[in-house]
Amino acid sequence: MRAATDQLRDIRAGEMVEELTEQLAQVVNAVLATGKKGNLTLKLNVDPASKGDAVVTITDDIKVTIPREKKAGTLMFALPSGSLQRQDPRQTELKLEAAPKSENTQPLAAVPTTPTALKAAGGN
């Protein structure tokens, strides 16, 4: 008896196995990327070509469920009219302005680059 894997390679002249390989790789990569479960199902239908004959027709059906990353939600506020907006309608708007430039600004003092000696506690 021929191994099932050898028989599968004959379906659609090997195209089914190629498609199955590609679909499996997509599912595996999505599972690794999302951390969620995925699946692949191979269904083979075996139909007699004619009654009493030793000929059958094999058709395949490959179905995949690829996990998706959860999309980020958007926080919005509902208005009494039913429409949505990003700003809370109960929050008052702050009127922000640039601070005036002072003409009496002094440059910042330089920070010493060499460490100073530590003083003993209680000493002068």
Side-chain angles (χ1 to χ4, degrees), residues 5-6 25-26 50 67 69 80 83 101 117 121:
T5 52
D6 292 336
Q26 286 181 4
S50 62
E69 297 233 12
S83 62
K101 233 181 187 182

PDB file of all heavy atoms in Angstrom, residues 5-6 25-26 50 67 69 80 83 101 117 121:
ATOM      1  N   THR A   5       1.092  10.164   2.273  1.00  0.00           N
ATOM      2  CA  THR A   5       1.830  11.369   1.871  1.00  0.00           C
ATOM      3  C   THR A   5       2.236  11.298   0.401  1.00  0.00           C
ATOM      4  O   THR A   5       2.244  12.322  -0.288  1.00  0.00           O
ATOM      5  CB  THR A   5       3.071  11.570   2.756  1.00  0.00           C
ATOM      6  OG1 THR A   5       3.844  10.364   2.766  1.00  0.00           O
ATOM      7  CG2 THR A   5       2.676  11.939   4.177  1.00  0.00           C
ATOM      8  N   ASP A   6       2.552  10.111  -0.086  1.00  0.00           N
ATOM      9  CA  ASP A   6       2.884   9.960  -1.503  1.00  0.00           C
ATOM     10  C   ASP A   6       1.646  10.192  -2.373  1.00  0.00           C
ATOM     11  O   ASP A   6       1.726  10.804  -3.434  1.00  0.00           O
ATOM     12  CB  ASP A   6       3.445   8.554  -1.778  1.00  0.00           C
ATOM     13  CG  ASP A   6       4.804   8.340  -1.129  1.00  0.00           C
ATOM     14  OD1 ASP A   6       5.513   9.337  -0.869  1.00  0.00           O
ATOM     15  OD2 ASP A   6       5.147   7.165  -0.890  1.00  0.00           O
ATOM     16  N   ALA A  25       2.394  27.679   6.490  1.00  0.00           N
ATOM     17  CA  ALA A  25       3.408  28.670   6.884  1.00  0.00           C
ATOM     18  C   ALA A  25       2.745  29.978   7.309  1.00  0.00           C
ATOM     19  O   ALA A  25       3.159  30.607   8.292  1.00  0.00           O
ATOM     20  CB  ALA A  25       4.390  28.900   5.744  1.00  0.00           C
ATOM     21  N   GLN A  26       1.697  30.394   6.594  1.00  0.00           N
ATOM     22  CA  GLN A  26       0.984  31.622   6.956  1.00  0.00           C
ATOM     23  C   GLN A  26       0.345  31.505   8.336  1.00  0.00           C
ATOM     24  O   GLN A  26       0.420  32.425   9.151  1.00  0.00           O
ATOM     25  CB  GLN A  26      -0.082  31.955   5.927  1.00  0.00           C
ATOM     26  CG  GLN A  26       0.471  32.490   4.627  1.00  0.00           C
ATOM     27  CD  GLN A  26      -0.649  32.823   3.631  1.00  0.00           C
ATOM     28  OE1 GLN A  26      -1.837  32.725   3.943  1.00  0.00           O
ATOM     29  NE2 GLN A  26      -0.262  33.213   2.436  1.00  0.00           N
ATOM     30  N   SER A  50     -17.525   6.619 -12.055  1.00  0.00           N
ATOM     31  CA  SER A  50     -18.720   5.950 -12.590  1.00  0.00           C
ATOM     32  C   SER A  50     -18.963   4.698 -11.750  1.00  0.00           C
ATOM     33  O   SER A  50     -18.042   4.127 -11.169  1.00  0.00           O
ATOM     34  CB  SER A  50     -18.534   5.596 -14.065  1.00  0.00           C
ATOM     35  OG  SER A  50     -17.466   4.692 -14.233  1.00  0.00           O
ATOM     36  N   PRO A  67      -5.059  33.825  12.840  1.00  0.00           N
ATOM     37  CA  PRO A  67      -5.343  34.750  13.940  1.00  0.00           C
ATOM     38  C   PRO A  67      -4.924  36.173  13.564  1.00  0.00           C
ATOM     39  O   PRO A  67      -3.963  36.384  12.839  1.00  0.00           O
ATOM     40  CB  PRO A  67      -4.496  34.208  15.093  1.00  0.00           C
ATOM     41  CG  PRO A  67      -3.415  33.426  14.450  1.00  0.00           C
ATOM     42  CD  PRO A  67      -3.980  32.903  13.165  1.00  0.00           C
ATOM     43  N   GLU A  69      -4.183  40.235  14.924  1.00  0.00           N
ATOM     44  CA  GLU A  69      -3.827  41.049  16.086  1.00  0.00           C
ATOM     45  C   GLU A  69      -5.029  41.898  16.470  1.00  0.00           C
ATOM     46  O   GLU A  69      -5.772  42.358  15.608  1.00  0.00           O
ATOM     47  CB  GLU A  69      -2.647  41.959  15.743  1.00  0.00           C
ATOM     48  CG  GLU A  69      -1.410  41.175  15.407  1.00  0.00           C
ATOM     49  CD  GLU A  69      -0.212  41.594  16.218  1.00  0.00           C
ATOM     50  OE1 GLU A  69      -0.370  42.328  17.200  1.00  0.00           O
ATOM     51  OE2 GLU A  69       0.877  41.163  15.860  1.00  0.00           O
ATOM     52  N   PRO A  80     -25.203  63.871  23.768  1.00  0.00           N
ATOM     53  CA  PRO A  80     -26.637  63.538  23.863  1.00  0.00           C
ATOM     54  C   PRO A  80     -27.268  63.262  22.496  1.00  0.00           C
ATOM     55  O   PRO A  80     -28.228  62.501  22.400  1.00  0.00           O
ATOM     56  CB  PRO A  80     -27.251  64.786  24.516  1.00  0.00           C
ATOM     57  CG  PRO A  80     -26.126  65.408  25.284  1.00  0.00           C
ATOM     58  CD  PRO A  80     -24.889  65.113  24.487  1.00  0.00           C
ATOM     59  N   SER A  83     -23.761  61.441  18.633  1.00  0.00           N
ATOM     60  CA  SER A  83     -22.500  61.503  17.898  1.00  0.00           C
ATOM     61  C   SER A  83     -21.332  61.378  18.874  1.00  0.00           C
ATOM     62  O   SER A  83     -21.498  61.505  20.089  1.00  0.00           O
ATOM     63  CB  SER A  83     -22.409  62.795  17.071  1.00  0.00           C
ATOM     64  OG  SER A  83     -22.437  63.914  17.927  1.00  0.00           O
ATOM     65  N   LYS A 101       8.969  86.620  27.100  1.00  0.00           N
ATOM     66  CA  LYS A 101      10.406  86.507  27.302  1.00  0.00           C
ATOM     67  C   LYS A 101      10.865  87.606  28.233  1.00  0.00           C
ATOM     68  O   LYS A 101      10.566  88.773  28.021  1.00  0.00           O
ATOM     69  CB  LYS A 101      11.117  86.638  25.959  1.00  0.00           C
ATOM     70  CG  LYS A 101      12.050  85.531  25.663  1.00  0.00           C
ATOM     71  CD  LYS A 101      12.720  85.738  24.341  1.00  0.00           C
ATOM     72  CE  LYS A 101      13.510  84.512  24.019  1.00  0.00           C
ATOM     73  NZ  LYS A 101      14.236  84.644  22.787  1.00  0.00           N
ATOM     74  N   ALA A 117      35.872  67.824  46.905  1.00  0.00           N
ATOM     75  CA  ALA A 117      36.189  66.937  48.039  1.00  0.00           C
ATOM     76  C   ALA A 117      35.004  66.864  48.966  1.00  0.00           C
ATOM     77  O   ALA A 117      34.307  67.852  49.189  1.00  0.00           O
ATOM     78  CB  ALA A 117      37.426  67.441  48.766  1.00  0.00           C
ATOM     79  N   ALA A 121      31.206  64.785  58.230  1.00  0.00           N
ATOM     80  CA  ALA A 121      30.041  65.250  58.956  1.00  0.00           C
ATOM     81  C   ALA A 121      30.486  65.966  60.214  1.00  0.00           C
ATOM     82  O   ALA A 121      31.335  65.489  60.945  1.00  0.00           O
ATOM     83  CB  ALA A 121      29.126  64.096  59.304  1.00  0.00           C
TER      84      ALA A 121
END
